[in-house]
Amino acid sequence: MNAHPSYDITWHYDSQRKKVVVTNIHLTIASGLAPKTGGGFWDAYVIRRSIDPEPAKDPRKFPYGRQGDVTGVDGNSLKNDYFPGSVGFYAHNNKTQAEVKAVNDYHGSYDAVQNNDGSWSLITIYSRYGVSSHQNNPTFGEPAWAEWGKTSPIATITLPKLATSQVHYHYNQAENRYYESRIIFSNIF
């Protein structure tokens, strides 16, 4: 595909709850025609909030030995099935170069998902792909289907960390004496 999403995401850190909170998402999907390199499969991706579940596997099977996509599937049917509740969608037919896209700016509030490395995922992009190496070879007798898997880019952030401590001294002229006061910053985020 030759369609690249860009996004402008507004978020803040809630220090009381120790969570990253997303409040606005604005998407654009710039596209251009990709080369014709397939038998008519609809390559697609859907962009969701990081808290939303992965799209469900399509239960429809590919016919044995057939190039292309499942009968009755096109960019509009995929959009109708997978775009509702999402913030972005793009589909491209790899034979005809037809494309379908949709965006839905998000204005609300949800907690981002914290990853094992301490970063936070704000949105997740899932790519549609055909499975089974046998989809075009009927001798194996195994039909194929389309699934959704995580792909890049996934919008993530890492919070900055401040120095662990600072020491400040002040001089009290009336007592002719120095006083030490410590300001502790310990991973405020």
Side-chain angles (χ1 to χ4, degrees), residues 52-110:
D52 293 334
E54 181 175 329
K57 180 173 93 172
D58 191 333
R60 297 170 288 199
K61 305 283 190 215
F62 291 94
Y64 294 127
R66 180 170 179 257
Q67 278 264 324
D69 213 322
V70 176
T71 303
V73 169
D74 64 16
N76 287 313
S77 68
L78 290 170
K79 183 181 86 169
N80 293 339
D81 289 345
Y82 297 104
F83 178 63
S86 301
V87 292
F89 172 85
Y90 179 83
H92 170 259
N93 185 291
N94 64 17
K95 182 177 183 180
T96 66
Q97 294 182 318
E99 65 179 10
V100 174
K101 61 182 169 179
V103 294
N104 183 25
D105 286 350
Y106 176 82
H107 306 288
S109 179
Y110 67 90

Side-chain angles (χ1 to χ4, degrees), residues 2-185:
N2 189 20
H4 307 285
S6 60
Y7 34 84
D8 183 10
I9 301 174
T10 306
W11 60 272
H12 68 273
Y13 184 75
D14 184 333
S15 59
Q16 290 181 335
R17 296 175 47 238
K18 297 186 181 334
K19 300 270 185 188
V20 169
V21 180
V22 177
T23 54
N24 288 296
I25 302 171
H26 173 71
L27 288 171
T28 56
I29 301 173
S31 59
L33 294 178
K36 294 179 183 181
T37 60
F41 184 77
W42 281 88
D43 297 309
Y45 64 75
V46 65
I47 303 169
R48 294 189 164 187
R49 301 175 312 163
S50 59
I51 60 169
D52 293 334
E54 181 175 329
K57 180 173 93 172
D58 191 333
R60 297 170 288 199
K61 305 283 190 215
F62 291 94
Y64 294 127
R66 180 170 179 257
Q67 278 264 324
D69 213 322
V70 176
T71 303
V73 169
D74 64 16
N76 287 313
S77 68
L78 290 170
K79 183 181 86 169
N80 293 339
D81 289 345
Y82 297 104
F83 178 63
S86 301
V87 292
F89 172 85
Y90 179 83
H92 170 259
N93 185 291
N94 64 17
K95 182 177 183 180
T96 66
Q97 294 182 318
E99 65 179 10
V100 174
K101 61 182 169 179
V103 294
N104 183 25
D105 286 350
Y106 176 82
H107 306 288
S109 179
Y110 67 90
D111 293 343
V113 173
Q114 188 169 19
N115 302 311
N116 292 336
D117 65 359
S119 66
W120 296 82
S121 290
L122 307 180
I123 59 175
T124 305
I125 300 175
Y126 295 94
S127 177
R128 180 177 187 258
Y129 61 96
V131 299
S132 172
S133 59
H134 313 300
Q135 75 185 58
N136 296 318
N137 189 342
T139 59
F140 289 95
E142 180 185 339
W145 55 89
E147 289 193 12
W148 295 88
K150 284 185 185 178
T151 189
S152 295
I154 298 173
T156 60
I157 55 146
T158 302
L159 299 174
K161 295 188 189 233
L162 298 176
T164 55
S165 65
Q166 296 179 357
V167 179
H168 295 274
Y169 297 94
H170 66 275
Y171 183 74
N172 186 325
Q173 291 180 343
E175 294 183 19
N176 246 354
R177 192 170 163 196
Y178 279 100
Y179 288 93
E180 177 183 322
S181 61
R182 286 191 178 265
I183 301 173
I184 306 291
F185 298 99

